[in-house]
Amino acid sequence: MATIEIKVPDIGDFAEVTVIELMVKPGDSVTVDQSLLTVESDKASMEIPSSHAGVVKELRVSLGDKVAEGSVVLMLEVAGVAAAPAPAPVAAAAPTSPAAPPAVPPAAPVAVAAVAPAATGPVEVRVPDIGDFKDVTVIEVMVKVGDSVKLEQSLISVESDKASMEIPSSAAGVIKDLLVKVGDKVNIGDLLAVLEGSAVAVSAPATVAAVAAVVPQAGVSVGAAPVTAASASAPLPAHNPTVAPTGLPHASPSVRKLARELGVPLDEVKGAGPKGRITQDDVHAFTKSVMSGAAQTRAMAASAPKAPAGGASDGAGLGLIPWPKVDFAKFGPIERKDMSRIKKISGANLLRNAVLIPAVTNHDDADITDLEAFRVSTNKENEKSGVKVTMLAFLIKACVAALKKYPEFNSSLDGDALIYKNYWHIGFAADTPNGLMVPVIKDADKKGIFQISQEMGELAKKARDGKLSPAEMSGATFTISSLGGIGGRYFTPIINAPEVAILGVCRSTTEPVWDGKAFQPRLMLPLSLTWDHRVIDGAAAARFNVYLGQILGDFRRVLL
Ligand code: CAO
């Protein structure tokens, strides 16, 4: 075992670069060519790869440090290397194995290949000399046929496994033909586009100079900060790393690669690194948040919340002003109590659902005079059975009938598609000492009123006792929230994502209802249907409520 120094290799014309990302820590095993840290100048970012395989003993740099060629960045314990004086900077950074190619080949000057006469007419734009890079992949096409482009305007971004750069236009004009698309592999000299119009020849030597400055030498890769060839006659614009000139997110090639592998849209990731740079951790955190959002059903009540609960959210992610911070004790005595775990979890879910779903609520009344009479008489007849038939059980059955008639209410959004579920599992909100729980009556379409009432009683008891299993809280296709036992008229329940609708029910009251000739005393049940406007429209919601009311008014309609 020997410990060697890993130094910043020759990084071309950069006198000093800033350490903006540390990708390893002491104790980490690294392989040859593995990126160790990212450095950045005002024009490019580069990853410094390891010249050897080994174990990181010590980091010699911290975030924000300025380093230059030859600066020691870390100590690496390697096997099979004599404990000799540290290798020269470039040697240290370049793989020592003869078989291993350098991480990035030595830079060659980049020149815009297509040089057209300063006149109108078709001008070919080709991939310039990009050094020894072969078969680089087109990762972004920034223009389309018909676009007017300026001289030096970036046309495409290309990327190898460790470097990314933008290919500029060698001329100004209108794009007549575009010969590359995302995913294509390109090489020096390949035709990218044909321009027409007031094409202007590019000053090749100036471009060479500008680009050579950002293409590093052995062992260093060019990072994600766009590498744009710029002519001396057109001075380089001041580079603001937080906003890449083309709108490309600020991330290194390895982070981009990771994002592509995970399918993470980098432009949606908020960079927590210096100057908003997106790090590997940011990509992982984004993946986690998306996965937890997609998978977070009520079954996840058993797991920790992934988002802050209601009032705890500062709204920062939404670009809102911060949540007011008030010293309540200034105004009177206070007592602080932590919210229950269930409240925290349901709060986070409710907040997400309230914010992300364009929800609308329709209110209506159902005449349940006859149904309630039937329920009361049924309960009298079955007093000895020990099972009390509840209004909620009828509501569940009525909802199943309405969901079957209007299947989009039993669907879920999946990107641009709707998943229609051919099962009818109905969740019902249960008030418990610890907070709101939503047990689910599975296959409610196959069960009778007695069975549903009995199951509901059992599940509600389990909910109150804190004994519901995740399975008993998952899989609902629609939810009912009944406040009928408590009171109130109407309310706006929040949809239980990924469901697309929820029915709120309040206390029925006897009201005078005009029958065309006279007012009749009828028992009216207030219904509040909240629905996701991305999936359901107002007319469908009104029809759903009307149909639901008709069934509750006369259950024989279910048979029609
Ligand atoms: N109108 C008038 N009376 C009603 C009624 C209604 N819509 N719904 C229920 N009642 C009556 C019942 O008939 C019962 O009366 P009796 O004792 O005289 O028979 C009484 O109110 C109590 O009913 P209940 O609430 O115990 O039973 P339920 O089947 O209606 O509801 C359950 C069960 C678990 C849903 C309920 O106990 C509960 O927790 N409700 C609160 C749900 C909640 O918090 N929702 C808000 C969520 S926020 O979005």
Side-chain angles (χ1 to χ4, degrees), residues 375 388 390 392 428-431 436 456 460 464 481-486 491 505-508 525:
R375 188 185 76 88
K388 189 172 132 193
T390 66
L392 198 47
F428 64 97
D431 185 28
L436 186 65
M456 251 174 39
R464 283 191 290 272
S481 176
S482 172
L483 294 172
I486 303 165
F491 68 115
V505 182
C506 282
R507 196 166 185 81
S508 55
L525 180 71

Side-chain angles (χ1 to χ4, degrees), residues 411-436:
S411 73
S412 282
L413 263 172
D414 182 26
D416 289 338
L418 279 184
I419 309 288
Y420 288 89
K421 284 156 269 182
N422 291 325
Y423 52 87
W424 292 267
H425 301 339
I426 311 296
F428 64 97
D431 185 28
T432 81
N434 289 322
L436 186 65

